[in-house]
Amino acid sequence: MRAEQIRAEVIAIGDELLIGQTINTNAAWLGEQLNAIGIKVHRSTVISDDKSEIVNVLNESSSRSHIIIMTGGLGPTKDDITKHTLCDYFNTELVMNEEALMRITEFFERRGLPMLEVNRQQAALPAACSVIQNHRGTACGMWFEKGDRVFISMPGVPYEMKGMMEDEVFSKLASFYRRPVIRHRTILTTGVGESFLANLLVDWEKMLEERNIALAYLPSPGMVKLRMSSYSEGGRDVQEDFAACERELLNLVGEHVYGFDKDTLQQVIGDLLRSQGQTVAVAESCTGGTLGRLITSVPGSSDYFKGGVIAYANSIKTDLLAVESTLISEKNVVSHEVARAMATGARTQFGSDWAISTTGIAGPGGGTDTHPVGLIYVAVAGPNGCKSVELKLGKRRDNNMDMASFSGLNLLRKEILEQKGDF
Amino acid sequence: MRAEQIRAEVIAIGDELLIGQTINTNAAWLGEQLNAIGIKVHRSTVISDDKSEIVNVLNESSSRSHIIIMTGGLGPTKDDITKHTLCDYFNTELVMNEEALMRITEFFERRGLPMLEVNRQQAALPAACSVIQNHRGTACGMWFEKGDRVFISMPGVPYEMKGMMEDEVFSKLASFYRRPVIRHRTILTTGVGESFLANLLVDWEKMLEERNIALAYLPSPGMVKLRMSSYSEGGRDVQEDFAACERELLNLVGEHVYGFDKDTLQQVIGDLLRSQGQTVAVAESCTGGTLGRLITSVPGSSDYFKGGVIAYANSIKTDLLAVESTLISEKNVVSHEVARAMATGARTQFGSDWAISTTGIAGPGGGTDTHPVGLIYVAVAGPNGCKSVELKLGKRRDNNMDMASFSGLNLLRKEILEQKGDF
């Protein structure tokens, strides 16, 4: 319809989001997906299930944006009022949608569940909208047009909303609007702080500016992501610009780069192991299963993951990982030596090429003067021996478990590369 | 200062939130915490790192809200412009804050890291604000007052922002505003759908209405939370009303209730095990460590968690859990029988009172006609024998791993209660 930048807003409706009982993951997903098809989300708002709030935000957002995407407020229970407010806003009324009714009826029949009147009423939808069918749940979506504005309302359950976007809404938006090309390339680093990295990259950032590429530093626990963005409308070859900047970056700080874009450390390691025809096992004390969960979250990880021992009690370390009990009493269970013995023991026990181990004080309790909360040892045993690192982390249990696991995966990555001769 | 309802807005600044590379967890946390001290967050907004967007949203939000809390946009790198925009907005200029400079200098000295000019510049702060010191990072917070409005700007790193709120901002807000009492009570259910629950609770909801208690159904994978809310300014005893409604609810659907408010299933189980002086171990195939991670995420879980085996390869099931290889070949590794043998084997191997096991096809690949993706068996072995359940879940790997783990924990909860004689 037009070549100007299409501006979208995401509006999430629900008190549960405002009082923090649910985290608004839908907005992040929608922003990412819309961006990928050249639609820029420039604002995202959360409001309560309240008629005047909904009307206000619809007026405000449609004054500055082309596309207004609403999520939430469509459940079968009493606290949802979005559908009636939309009827008033678009001056229309509810009519029974036969396709939706059939689908909802089937939904309950297939599950052998009783269908209630509140479920039946979910098929009553505004006459003025195009109905977006929901093939994963009972609340339908609605697509309204008003002038050149599009208003979309969908349920807040992430799985249902995502399905409706993928089944129908993305392609409908693509045919309604023409869009410029927005591209991103993200380089993932670990083991180096944001300011330190920025200082190494002063000249590199100038190279980006010359090419009209925007840069953002995105720090999160244990890593810093560098995101390059280019909003071009054709002309320069963005991919080639990205590639040139990326090559230069790898020259400068390549040792800290573990992946790109949506890569995760566990995927990178999975690919490395698979290409080497090697396997890994884990021996987890303070991480309690986190390493295993991370590794197995990758589809197909059974190709290279043998399994592990969660050695929480000391007796498990001696019985299942063949750690000498004298080593534990002499060196302390939280030590380089015990971490290495656990990794070596797991490698033997599981017959794997590699093994990662963790032992430490995850906190918040259990620390002593010599072994404070946050002291964690991580080891990797492999074909050429065993290496361990000491971590001095903070007091937050979940964070310590995550950081230690991340550190173990990164140590494995480096050891595999070294063994391959890539370092 | 006043007894009317204090309205707050949360504004997160950052392109990384809009394009979905970071999920806005800060807004949820702030909503929850402010609510608890009687300040209602009625809107939450995400905007980009752009001067005119920031100015617009400050104008809009201050026209309808008393408290405007901004997070993000204060990092040391080039893509942050919040501080300069705030200077313009409040008609002030940056001055070096000596306390902040000292703190930032110490921050780098303590870590043995070089301090850069960009870090030094973080101590330059608007003359018109009260500085909120950051004891966990280098970006300071700012507190501005304009008429009876309060504007707060803090860094977006959750750990730093939360620390500043807890160290200083909550108490400062409490002394600036007087607040009515908002209370919530949430009852956590599992094993029953939202509509079915709503149908059982029609009369109970009337009881709530009579007491001016609002109700929300909050469904999430595997559970439905029922949240009661009361916005009272004294008068009726809300706690007694909540207690009466809760007693009635437990009469109606108590078998489905596993906890209250911030309880998690793993905490509830931890408390049950500790009170019984009993222990648990896990044998995880398709959940790959998730059960272990969940159980050990509870501080002090070493009191009752012995450890586990992540038995990803079949050989681990036979070698470490003493599952007969003929059982696997006869019944299939994904079966009631193997799940039970794994749980029984883990209970013996770890010498624990209880053991939970999982075996199944997490997906998205690996399914067959007889054993499709999503088919998972979960078993619990205990003092009185072994029980297993069959789950038929969807195609999403992470979700299947979480749902199977949740189901295993819930089965353990029920078995412990039955053994105690509470069912």
Side-chain angles (χ1 to χ4, degrees):
Chain A
M1 192 180 268
R2 70 187 80 63
E4 68 178 293
Q5 173 66 62
I6 302 298
R7 291 159 66 90
E9 291 197 32
V10 175
I11 296 162
I13 300 169
D15 291 323
E16 71 278 15
L17 298 165
L18 288 170
I19 71 159
Q21 272 188 314
T22 307
I23 290 170
N24 187 8
T25 56
N26 285 343
W29 186 85
L30 283 166
E32 186 174 30
Q33 300 294 315
L34 289 167
N35 204 285
I37 61 163
I39 293 170
K40 192 176 179 183
V41 173
H42 71 106
R43 192 181 280 215
S44 158
T45 308
V46 181
I47 56 169
S48 67
D49 293 280
D50 176 275
K51 181 165 181 169
S52 67
E53 291 276 349
I54 297 173
V55 170
N56 287 342
V57 82
L58 286 175
N59 284 331
E60 293 163 23
S61 56
S62 61
S63 73
R64 63 191 169 219
S65 299
H66 305 95
I67 302 169
I68 291 94
I69 300 186
M70 287 165 272
T71 61
L74 298 176
T77 48
K78 292 190 183 180
D79 54 328
D80 296 313
I81 50 123
T82 309
K83 200 164 67 174
H84 295 97
T85 304
L86 289 171
C87 272
D88 289 354
Y89 189 78
F90 292 103
N91 195 22
T92 183
E93 56 184 3
L94 296 179
V95 293
M96 192 54 70
N97 182 287
E98 292 305 325
E99 186 185 342
L101 184 60
M102 202 174 68
R103 221 182 16 71
I104 294 171
T105 309
E106 278 172 12
F107 182 94
F108 283 91
E109 276 173 3
R110 208 164 51 239
R111 285 162 179 74
L113 294 170
M115 175 161 158
L116 310 170
E117 181 56 23
V118 285
N119 301 121
R120 209 182 108 81
Q121 283 307 318
Q122 291 196 281
L125 292 158
C129 77
S130 306
V131 174
I132 305 164
Q133 297 294 337
N134 180 350
H135 300 286
R136 293 158 188 82
T138 55
C140 287
M142 292 160 264
W143 169 292
F144 297 91
E145 294 171 18
K146 196 172 188 176
D148 66 344
R149 286 358 196 188
V150 170
F151 300 75
I152 299 159
S153 169
M154 290 175 294
V157 180
Y159 167 63
E160 297 179 19
M161 182 279 290
K162 291 175 189 177
M164 293 163 88
M165 288 299 294
E166 282 163 354
D167 291 347
E168 191 171 338
V169 178
F170 286 127
S171 61
K172 223 169 154 172
L173 286 172
S175 71
F176 199 84
Y177 295 104
R178 289 207 323 246
R179 299 135 300 138
V181 181
I182 308 183
R183 290 189 197 281
H184 300 289
R185 175 70 168 170
T186 304
I187 297 124
L188 313 172
T189 75
T190 182
V192 59
E194 181 183 2
S195 328
F196 192 77
L197 204 56
N199 208 39
L200 291 175
L201 298 179
V202 170
D203 289 333
W204 182 73
E205 289 197 36
K206 284 182 192 141
M207 177 178 174
L208 266 62
E209 272 170 35
E210 283 162 17
R211 286 168 172 75
N212 244 339
I213 295 174
L215 179 70
Y217 287 80
L218 307 171
S220 56
M223 65 184 97
V224 177
K225 300 179 183 181
L226 297 170
R227 190 193 65 226
M228 302 189 286
S229 306
S230 173
Y231 293 69
S232 97
E233 309 224 12
R236 282 187 80 88
D237 183 344
V238 175
Q239 299 298 6
E240 181 40 47
D241 278 354
F242 277 178
C245 293
E246 189 173 306
R247 279 191 300 272
E248 179 60 20
L249 184 78
L250 290 174
N251 282 337
L252 293 167
V253 295
E255 72 200 288
H256 303 300
V257 174
Y258 70 85
F260 300 92
D261 294 328
K262 287 173 171 288
D263 284 350
T264 61
L265 200 43
Q266 55 269 29
Q267 281 167 338
V268 169
I269 285 163
D271 292 344
L272 277 173
L273 288 169
R274 192 180 277 114
S275 73
Q276 299 286 97
Q278 294 184 327
T279 57
V280 67
V282 297
E284 306 193 53
S285 183
C286 65
T287 52
T290 314
L291 271 169
R293 166 65 195 231
L294 283 170
I295 294 170
T296 60
S297 68
V298 180
S301 46
S302 54
D303 291 351
Y304 51 81
F305 182 59
K306 291 267 203 165
V309 169
I310 306 172
Y312 227 54
N314 282 353
S315 60
I316 311 305
K317 296 181 181 76
T318 54
D319 293 356
L320 289 186
L321 296 170
V323 177
E324 301 276 353
S325 59
T326 50
L327 189 74
I328 295 178
S329 55
E330 280 169 20
K331 301 291 182 181
N332 193 302
V333 68
V334 177
S335 62
H336 276 294
E337 291 80 0
V338 170
R340 287 186 205 168
M342 288 171 67
T344 308
R347 188 169 174 264
T348 307
Q349 175 71 272
F350 288 88
S352 58
D353 299 289
W354 300 94
I356 315 175
S357 72
T358 60
T359 179
I361 320 282
T368 64
D369 285 350
T370 53
H371 294 77
V373 168
L375 181 68
I376 297 177
Y377 294 89
V378 173
V380 167
N384 301 326
C386 192
K387 199 168 274 184
S388 60
V389 294
E390 180 187 77
L391 304 176
K392 291 179 173 175
L393 302 173
K395 302 215 176 299
R396 291 171 298 155
R397 185 177 184 84
D398 279 346
N399 195 58
N400 289 346
M401 293 169 80
D402 291 342
M403 293 276 279
S405 300
F406 194 79
S407 173
L409 292 175
N410 197 40
L411 184 59
L412 174 61
R413 181 184 71 88
K414 287 183 174 175
E415 291 299 299
I416 298 174
L417 289 177
E418 188 168 305
Q419 183 234 5
K420 274 179 73 183
D422 280 13
F423 265 6
Chain B
M1 194 181 267
R2 71 186 79 62
E4 68 179 288
Q5 174 66 61
I6 302 299
R7 289 159 67 92
E9 292 197 31
V10 175
I11 296 162
I13 300 170
D15 290 323
E16 72 278 14
L17 298 165
L18 288 170
I19 71 158
Q21 272 188 313
T22 306
I23 290 171
N24 187 9
T25 57
N26 284 343
W29 186 86
L30 283 165
E32 185 174 31
Q33 299 295 315
L34 289 167
N35 204 286
I37 61 164
I39 292 171
K40 192 177 178 182
V41 174
H42 71 104
R43 191 182 283 216
S44 158
T45 308
V46 181
I47 56 169
S48 67
D49 293 282
D50 175 275
K51 180 165 183 170
S52 67
E53 291 276 349
I54 296 174
V55 170
N56 286 344
V57 82
L58 286 175
N59 284 330
E60 293 164 22
S61 56
S62 60
S63 73
R64 64 191 169 218
S65 298
H66 304 94
I67 303 169
I68 291 94
I69 300 187
M70 286 165 272
T71 60
L74 299 176
T77 47
K78 293 190 181 179
D79 55 327
D80 296 312
I81 50 123
T82 309
K83 201 164 66 174
H84 295 98
T85 304
L86 289 171
C87 272
D88 289 354
Y89 191 79
F90 292 103
N91 195 21
T92 183
E93 57 186 2
L94 295 180
V95 293
M96 192 54 70
N97 182 288
E98 292 304 327
E99 186 183 344
L101 184 61
M102 201 174 69
R103 219 181 18 70
I104 294 170
T105 309
E106 278 173 10
F107 182 93
F108 282 92
E109 277 173 2
R110 208 165 51 240
R111 284 162 180 74
L113 294 171
M115 177 162 159
L116 309 170
E117 179 57 24
V118 286
N119 301 123
R120 209 183 110 82
Q121 282 308 318
Q122 291 196 284
L125 292 158
C129 78
S130 308
V131 174
I132 305 165
Q133 297 295 338
N134 180 351
H135 300 286
R136 291 156 190 83
T138 54
C140 288
M142 293 161 262
W143 169 292
F144 296 91
E145 294 172 20
K146 195 171 189 176
D148 66 346
R149 289 348 197 196
V150 170
F151 300 74
I152 299 158
S153 170
M154 290 175 294
V157 180
Y159 167 64
E160 298 179 18
M161 182 279 291
K162 291 175 187 176
M164 293 163 90
M165 289 298 296
E166 282 164 353
D167 291 347
E168 190 170 341
V169 179
F170 285 127
S171 62
K172 221 167 156 175
L173 286 172
S175 71
F176 198 83
Y177 294 104
R178 288 206 326 245
R179 302 135 298 137
V181 181
I182 307 184
R183 290 190 197 281
H184 299 288
R185 175 69 167 169
T186 304
I187 298 123
L188 313 172
T189 75
T190 182
V192 60
E194 181 183 3
S195 327
F196 192 79
L197 204 57
N199 209 37
L200 290 175
L201 298 179
V202 171
D203 289 334
W204 182 72
E205 289 197 35
K206 286 183 190 140
M207 177 178 175
L208 266 63
E209 273 170 35
E210 283 163 17
R211 287 168 172 76
N212 245 339
I213 295 174
L215 179 70
Y217 287 80
L218 308 172
S220 57
M223 65 183 97
V224 178
K225 300 179 181 180
L226 297 169
R227 190 193 65 225
M228 301 189 286
S229 305
S230 174
Y231 293 69
S232 97
E233 309 223 13
R236 282 188 79 90
D237 184 342
V238 175
Q239 299 296 8
E240 181 41 45
D241 278 353
F242 277 177
C245 293
E246 188 173 306
R247 278 192 300 274
E248 180 61 18
L249 183 79
L250 290 174
N251 280 339
L252 293 167
V253 295
E255 71 200 287
H256 302 300
V257 173
Y258 71 84
F260 302 91
D261 295 329
K262 287 174 171 286
D263 284 350
T264 61
L265 200 43
Q266 55 269 30
Q267 281 168 338
V268 169
I269 286 162
D271 292 343
L272 277 173
L273 287 169
R274 192 179 279 114
S275 73
Q276 299 285 99
Q278 292 182 329
T279 57
V280 67
V282 297
E284 305 192 53
S285 183
C286 65
T287 53
T290 315
L291 271 168
R293 166 66 194 229
L294 283 169
I295 294 170
T296 60
S297 67
V298 180
S301 46
S302 54
D303 291 352
Y304 51 81
F305 182 59
K306 291 266 203 163
V309 169
I310 306 173
Y312 226 54
N314 282 352
S315 60
I316 313 303
K317 295 181 181 77
T318 53
D319 292 356
L320 290 186
L321 296 170
V323 178
E324 301 276 353
S325 58
T326 50
L327 189 73
I328 295 178
S329 55
E330 280 169 20
K331 302 291 182 182
N332 193 301
V333 68
V334 177
S335 62
H336 277 294
E337 291 80 1
V338 170
R340 287 186 205 167
M342 287 171 67
T344 308
R347 188 168 174 263
T348 306
Q349 175 71 274
F350 289 88
S352 57
D353 299 289
W354 300 92
I356 316 176
S357 71
T358 61
T359 179
I361 321 281
T368 64
D369 284 351
T370 54
H371 294 78
V373 168
L375 180 68
I376 297 177
Y377 294 88
V378 172
V380 167
N384 301 325
C386 192
K387 199 168 276 185
S388 60
V389 294
E390 180 187 77
L391 305 176
K392 291 178 173 175
L393 302 173
K395 302 215 176 300
R396 290 172 295 155
R397 185 178 184 84
D398 279 346
N399 195 58
N400 288 346
M401 293 169 80
D402 291 342
M403 293 278 278
S405 300
F406 194 80
S407 173
L409 292 175
N410 197 41
L411 184 60
L412 174 62
R413 181 184 70 88
K414 287 183 175 176
E415 291 299 299
I416 298 174
L417 289 176
E418 188 168 305
Q419 183 232 7
K420 274 180 71 182
D422 280 12
F423 265 5

